[in-house]
Amino acid sequence: MTSTDDEIINLAKRTEPLSLSDISRALGLKSRGTAQKWHKPPTQKAMEGKAPQNKPALHAVVEAMADRLKAAGVEVSRETLESSRPLYPPQVVLALGKALGYLDSTGCIVEEIRNKGRGRWLPVAPTVDPGSQRKRVYTNHLASKLGTRNESIEVALYRDRFTSPDGTDEIGRSFWWVPTANKILKEHNIADRF
């Protein structure tokens, strides 16, 4: 299957591996650069000698999905992870898109992300962890339910006055698992839960 540059790639139907350009089209990205960062982080020289804080997002998803990929007979070789022209299985790209919030639970592009600005952004809806398949809630989701701003939660976290996040996702954003988020809502007497 060959795609034109304007064609959105349907990951649910795709069987062939995807290049970084294909990944960009499949997730509705404006350029290949973001997919490149997810495959291989900037060099230490570009980061003033500091090692990246997280492993590349695509590598993290491959690692998290290792058992499921093996069960499906899909292999992602070390050569792929180190290649300058990698090809990733569609299952990995679909899981990455859902994990980062570019795709909804059905695998369709989330329209709100098309117009997002530069810099860090938070997913419109809770995301799905590629390893455990558990839902992850972010600051913006909690802020909405609590009737406050993201910044208020971030300040409370900094001052140790808010329940610590359960972890960070593939690009370093803090998250809470749904049970933890629901506990936070219960502590604030909010009946509308995740």
Side-chain angles (χ1 to χ4, degrees), residues 33-48:
T34 301
Q36 175 66 33
K37 287 178 192 169
W38 292 339
H39 168 65
K40 193 169 193 158
T43 64
Q44 285 191 4
K45 182 179 179 184
M47 296 182 62
E48 298 175 357

Side-chain angles (χ1 to χ4, degrees), residues 99-113:
L100 298 182
Y102 284 87
L103 303 176
D104 64 19
S105 60
T106 65
C108 294
I109 293 175
V110 174
E111 287 302 317
E112 290 87 344
I113 65 114

Side-chain angles (χ1 to χ4, degrees), residues 8-9 11 22-29 38 93-94 96-98 100 102-103 109-110 113:
I8 298 292
I9 296 171
L11 293 171
D22 292 337
I23 291 170
S24 296
R25 282 199 311 280
L27 300 182
L29 303 173
W38 292 339
V93 179
L94 183 62
L96 175 74
K98 289 179 180 182
L100 298 182
Y102 284 87
L103 303 176
I109 293 175
V110 174
I113 65 114

Side-chain angles (χ1 to χ4, degrees), residues 70-165:
K70 187 176 181 180
V74 176
E75 181 185 351
V76 180
S77 69
R78 185 116 195 102
E79 290 78 27
T80 293
L81 297 176
E82 295 174 359
S83 172
S84 61
R85 294 182 176 263
L87 293 172
Y88 284 94
Q91 300 96 312
V92 170
V93 179
L94 183 62
L96 175 74
K98 289 179 180 182
L100 298 182
Y102 284 87
L103 303 176
D104 64 19
S105 60
T106 65
C108 294
I109 293 175
V110 174
E111 287 302 317
E112 290 87 344
I113 65 114
R114 287 184 186 272
N115 300 320
K116 71 175 179 60
R118 298 180 70 102
R120 289 175 76 92
W121 62 281
L122 294 168
V124 175
T127 65
V128 178
D129 181 77
S132 68
Q133 298 296 293
R134 294 169 64 191
K135 290 223 180 215
R136 306 184 292 201
V137 175
Y138 294 82
T139 307
N140 58 321
H141 306 129
L142 282 169
S144 176
K145 296 261 188 196
L146 293 169
T148 189
R149 297 181 341 218
N150 295 351
E151 296 80 12
S152 298
I153 293 176
E154 290 167 5
V155 168
L157 280 168
Y158 178 77
R159 294 180 176 165
D160 290 327
R161 294 185 180 155
F162 198 85
T163 303
S164 296

Side-chain angles (χ1 to χ4, degrees), residues 2 29 33 46 60 95 97 186:
T2 306
L29 303 173
K186 184 177 180 181

